[in-house]
Amino acid sequence: MAWQPSPESLSTLAACLKDSLSGFNTAAQKQAENMLTQAKSSPDINNYLIYLFSSPEPPSGLQWSAEDYFLIRSAAAIMLKNNIKTGSKAIPDSSLALIKMGVPLALQDKRGQIRNYAGNIATEMIRRGGIMSWPELLPELLKMIGNETGQVTEEAQEGAMAAMAKICEDNTKLLERELNGERPLNFILPKLIQATKSPLPKVRAYALTAINVFTPRKSQAMLNSIDDLLQHLFALASDPSNDVRRQVCRAFAQLVESRPDKIQPHLPGLVDYIITQQRSGDEDEDLATDAAEFWLTVGEHEHLWDSLSPYIGKIIPVLLECMVYSSDDIALLGGASDDEDEEDLEKDIKPQFAKKSVGRTANGESSADPAQNGNAYQNLAKMDDDLEEGEIEDFEDGDDANPDERWTLRKCSAAALDVFARDFKDPVFESILPYLTKNLKHDDWPYREAAVLALGAVAEGCMNVVTPHLPELVPYLISLLNDPEPVVRQITCWTLGRYSAWAADLTDPTQKQLYFEPMMEGILTKMLDSNKKVQEAGASAFANLEEKAGKRLEPYSLPIIQQFVRCFKKYKDRNMYILYDCVQTLAEHIGPVLAQPNLVNELMPALIERWTRVSDQSRELFPLLECLSYVAMALNDAFTPYAQPIFVRCVTIIHQNLEASMNLATNPSVDTPDKDFLVTSLDLLSAIIQALDPAKSSKLVQDSQPAFFELLLICMEDPTDEVRQSAYALLGDCAKYVFEQLQPSLPSIFAILMKQLDLDGVLDEDIDSGFGVVNNACWSAGEIAIRHKSNMAPYVPELFRRFIDIIRNPGIPKGVTENAAIALGRLGLGNGELLATDLAEYADDFLDSMDEVDPSDEKATAFRGFTAVVQRNPMAMEKSLLHFFTAIARYRDLKLRSETKSGLHEDFQKIISTYRQIIPQFDQFLSQLQPQDQQTLRTTYAF
């Protein structure tokens, strides 16, 4: 007998679902959420959810208004999708069968949002179970889209097409892979192209949306269908629907990357078409923005950009037109008031994420992306809130309306002008010069603002041709910092930041006084503007200036820090984030100068005051912890007075986060802990351990409660790549600075580290972040090896195999193979006998990798270990000996005074003497080297 719901249970569930979306009664909402959490354990909960969701009218016995019942269905859909997402394997087959019956019904619903929910559930089913978990779905959707019977309603066609677009977007690789000897996409793509002829504009638009998932990818299906697709795109270029033309513009832009050969012959016609679409900004800004993206992709293409050369005179005026704020934006932004004393609303503060953890490089440096300061084109922080199209969230009409907070036609046009300036250089400046002359001093602020934006946009590409004008332009821009219109002050900060390298590079003291110092002072002053947006732009521009000026800021350190301290007292929460960036960028560039007592006494009380105010749960901790990491590294031992409480708090945050993860494993209803707290705390611990005197660092580690290395071991096995990457960076720093404390934990550490070095554990999807973890694991193993020496013996055989696998794998990034080679070399320190038998097998691999590494202590210790192995088995080097002698001759930094490097010189001397005794015609052997290498060997070593 078919499953039937209990009327009482159905009624209770419907009421809970409705209350769970109630924004008015928080008590009822909380109670409903708790009841729904309990209901999840019921074996047929999903039957009830699909029953409510797929029933277009309230079932018998339920008395709800149309709007309330819509909310109930929406909540049922969201809960059902989340149940599939988190526990699809636990859903009984009988429930899955009901879901598969209900979803196609909901795809035909009159309400568009219900159809969207049905598509979300369908794509989640495929994502979790694969195509074969619901083999009928795709053929059924294609039948509905094609309306082969002529009986399918318009709503059903649109619902099926929207669902197909979602499935394509969420399961791209799955559709391209072979399944039972067929690739699903080979069958689906021609059907999608056919669907672009549908009489329904939404179906045409969704069909193109689905196709555009695959246009950037070079699949066999796309290769087979490209000519057919192009014919359809040209036919759709004049489609009456703006949504369709948006997708046409996107398709052309994506084909620039994947099939430039197909775009090139049509470029003259495409230029005119894209210009027409871009000029539609007044009636549809989204369409115009997608059109403008075409210039960006062509401009950034390594070959195709040059083909635009004849059309630059046509394109640039359109870009300039589109860089003026629209009339709606002018109404929104113009005459902004002084708001420096207004508190920030929580929704105004952009979500913060821990920046990608530093990777340890083969040259002993930490590498991270430099801060991208002052990006006027794209200032977007997107939060993955797990909501998909059609799902309900709290509607707010603030952020999205603000043109500063979203990607706009204006920003896209400015970015395209920037790209063209870098492509075509001087002609671009010459073509915008009349526009600048006319508008830089325009009475209407939107034209003034657009001209300043244009001047900033061409800074990088046209610097040579702009430079003669800068002595006149820079003072004028500095005067615009006092423009009555905050939006003009804002963009002027950014543009001055773009030209700060020119001012910083001035060597003549008079010119520095005329241009660099007023520019620096002007931007610093704007950091305390009466308008918060201008403050933010000033701080962002100053961080940019710090990047460009570097150590040349040292003489001005005190007034800079004094201004930062004023900002700490004045700023509301939102601008505090960019202020941290200013502080850390200064610390990064002036380094030890920051440790001067007068500077420390100014800066640290302000940072510590903020540190004590920010709670352990606040996302502001991420930029604050990162900022403190840079400051600690700059101050070195001068950080000691502040280190202990900061160290203890970081350990506490890590402990709390790990405990929360363990609680989640036993109780899925608790909140998922944010792993960014782990990443930033681990990174700050690394910085403190590096900064302090080793005895003081050791004391902090020793006194840690809970035990420091117990926590580190758990972090080394965390499922999140970024956490493990930071954990292995901390492990390597502990090996360098607190090895005595680390030593007792090494057996447990190596058991975990060996698994991390297994390349099979790096997933396809997470390949980049996975390699970051492997990189730091190699580096930390090498740091342990040079201190643990012969005690490494139990781990040498497996480590050797792991390192060789990494070095020989051509798909692994160069930096990772270099770190693996250095770690392999370092294993030879104290373990020469163990590695000597395999020397002939790995010598060339090691030497090839070392050829790429710059001179450093890391390289020196690796060569010392390798040379120790060679000394144990010199005959094994027969095939690699010339390579080895070349490497010795080209080792350039032996004159640097360091115990490691002078020791390496002695090791090289010994091994040369060994081979002089072994090889009868040694001079004849040497004559096979390049003449300059022979000469270097004879002058550097005793023969």
Side-chain angles (χ1 to χ4, degrees), residues 889 909 912 916 922-927 929 931-943:
Q909 181 67 67
I912 289 168
R916 282 190 71 197
F922 187 70
D923 285 347
Q924 196 178 329
F925 162 74
L926 276 190
S927 68
L929 296 174
Q932 67 269 29
D933 293 334
Q934 293 179 49
Q935 181 63 32
T936 305
L937 281 174
R938 291 183 189 282
T939 52
T940 312
Y941 300 95
F943 276 78

Side-chain angles (χ1 to χ4, degrees), residues 777-793:
C778 290
W779 174 78
S780 59
E783 290 297 333
I784 294 168
I786 56 177
R787 289 159 185 89
H788 210 37
K789 296 195 164 64
S790 59
N791 294 316
M792 292 288 291

Side-chain angles (χ1 to χ4, degrees), residues 328-627:
D328 289 348
D329 292 342
I330 291 167
L332 199 67
L333 295 167
S337 60
D338 296 346
D339 60 355
E340 59 183 332
D341 295 322
E342 291 174 19
E343 293 299 327
D344 291 327
L345 298 173
E346 197 171 329
K347 71 185 180 69
D348 292 334
I349 300 167
K350 291 175 192 168
Q352 290 297 310
F353 306 97
K355 290 192 184 165
K356 206 157 184 84
S357 174
V358 291
R360 298 304 199 260
T361 69
N363 301 319
E365 301 292 326
S366 299
S367 68
D369 288 340
Q372 296 294 309
N373 296 313
N375 186 344
Y377 310 131
Q378 191 156 16
N379 189 13
L380 302 173
K382 287 190 179 170
M383 188 171 179
D384 179 14
D385 56 7
D386 257 7
L387 285 165
E388 297 183 28
E389 186 189 348
E391 294 193 8
I392 289 176
E393 60 179 324
D394 293 332
F395 292 106
E396 295 172 13
D397 54 12
D399 274 6
D400 222 28
N402 190 332
D404 281 347
E405 303 294 332
R406 56 189 166 82
W407 186 237
T408 59
L409 174 59
R410 173 178 168 276
K411 290 176 187 173
C412 188
S413 300
L417 182 62
D418 182 354
V419 169
F420 286 161
R422 281 182 274 140
D423 287 341
F424 300 106
K425 306 281 188 271
D426 299 6
V428 171
F429 182 69
E430 284 151 18
S431 69
I432 71 164
L433 192 53
Y435 177 86
L436 294 177
T437 309
K438 180 182 170 189
N439 291 300
L440 270 173
K441 298 186 179 180
H442 202 289
D443 290 342
D444 293 341
W445 73 259
Y447 293 95
R448 240 180 6 258
E449 195 276 347
V452 175
L453 172 57
L455 182 59
V458 300
E460 200 173 314
C462 299
M463 186 61 86
N464 289 341
V465 69
V466 180
T467 296
H469 301 272
L470 287 177
E472 185 187 344
L473 284 169
V474 165
Y476 176 66
L477 287 172
I478 292 169
S479 77
L480 282 182
L481 290 173
N482 298 313
D483 194 279
E485 201 50 65
V487 186
V488 176
R489 301 201 296 273
Q490 200 179 331
I491 199 64
T492 304
C493 287
W494 177 77
T495 294
L496 282 170
R498 299 271 286 180
Y499 286 102
S500 57
W502 168 79
D505 289 341
L506 295 170
T507 49
D508 179 85
T510 312
Q511 289 203 310
K512 281 185 92 155
Q513 221 173 344
L514 274 173
Y515 304 113
F516 178 62
E517 290 176 6
M519 178 188 284
M520 180 173 59
E521 187 184 351
I523 296 173
L524 266 177
T525 305
K526 287 299 104 184
M527 287 179 69
L528 281 176
D529 192 88
S530 55
N531 179 278
K532 288 192 287 191
K533 287 272 175 67
V534 181
Q535 290 173 2
E536 182 184 11
S540 183
F542 197 78
N544 204 350
L545 182 142
E546 288 173 322
E547 292 270 355
K548 303 294 187 346
K551 290 194 176 302
R552 286 164 291 196
L553 288 178
E554 287 176 7
Y556 311 102
S557 301
L558 185 59
I560 290 170
I561 286 170
Q562 286 170 335
Q563 184 73 335
F564 288 173
V565 170
R566 289 183 203 107
C567 293
F568 272 113
K569 289 175 184 162
K570 187 81 175 168
Y571 278 9
K572 303 305 175 192
D573 291 345
R574 176 186 168 115
N575 284 346
M576 204 59 77
Y577 294 52
I578 187 76
L579 182 56
Y580 293 135
D581 194 35
C582 288
V583 173
Q584 76 182 47
T585 308
L586 185 70
E588 185 182 5
H589 286 91
I590 67 170
V593 171
L594 202 58
Q596 292 171 10
N598 62 331
L599 301 182
V600 174
N601 294 338
E602 284 279 349
L603 176 64
M604 287 311 295
L607 274 175
I608 295 302
E609 196 270 333
R610 195 70 194 174
W611 163 262
T612 53
R613 279 182 56 190
V614 175
S615 79
D616 285 357
Q617 288 73 43
S618 168
R619 296 181 76 87
E620 189 185 329
L621 264 186
F622 308 150
L624 175 53
L625 291 173
E626 188 184 13
C627 174

Side-chain angles (χ1 to χ4, degrees), residues 11 19 88 120 131 146 221 240 260 295 316 330 335 354 396 405 451 490 511 532 630 650 695 712 722 730 893:
S11 179
D19 286 347
S88 58
N120 293 339
I131 292 168
W295 309 129
I316 286 180
I330 291 167
E396 295 172 13
E405 303 294 332
Q490 200 179 331
Q511 289 203 310
K532 288 192 287 191
Y630 280 87
C650 284
L712 183 56
E722 286 76 14
L730 177 55
D893 66 343

